[in-house]
Amino acid sequence: MYHLVGDDGDEQVALELPDLDSARQFAETYTSIAPTPAILIRNDLISDTHSFWLRTISQRGDGTHFITNEKMLVSCDSIQK
């Protein structure tokens, strides 16, 4: 788990998952009333980069959760294995 802090001071918990299918499954089974975590998926396409794809979870009107289509590439100085 990661603790993300934005330039404006906003904070959010992020959960690292191995792939988009795992993220979709997590979102579909998420039942907590707490704020949904951001989802981080490692970007392993280029071996010498240290980055994640950040995805978010939204909630439908019927209360079910889903992974949004938008994503953002987040780069880091290093990532612990």
Side-chain angles (χ1 to χ4, degrees):
M1 237 195 250
Y2 295 86
H3 180 194
L4 305 179
V5 180
D7 290 338
D8 57 1
D10 283 349
E11 300 181 30
Q12 185 172 4
V13 171
L15 178 64
E16 182 180 350
L17 294 172
D19 54 42
L20 186 54
D21 287 335
S22 298
R24 283 188 182 116
Q25 181 178 7
F26 176 82
E28 291 168 0
T29 59
Y30 188 80
T31 58
S32 176
I33 59 170
T36 57
I39 302 297
L40 296 172
I41 301 170
R42 287 185 194 242
N43 178 19
D44 292 332
L45 296 178
I46 303 173
S47 63
D48 62 345
T49 62
H50 304 293
S51 61
F52 293 98
W53 287 108
L54 184 137
R55 298 271 188 155
T56 56
I57 298 173
S58 285
Q59 187 174 19
R60 294 183 179 95
D62 64 1
T64 60
H65 293 88
F66 64 98
I67 295 290
T68 60
N69 290 330
E70 296 81 16
K71 62 184 177 180
M72 177 175 35
L73 187 61
V74 178
S75 63
C76 310
D77 291 336
S78 64
I79 299 175
Q80 294 182 352
K81 295 284 179 185

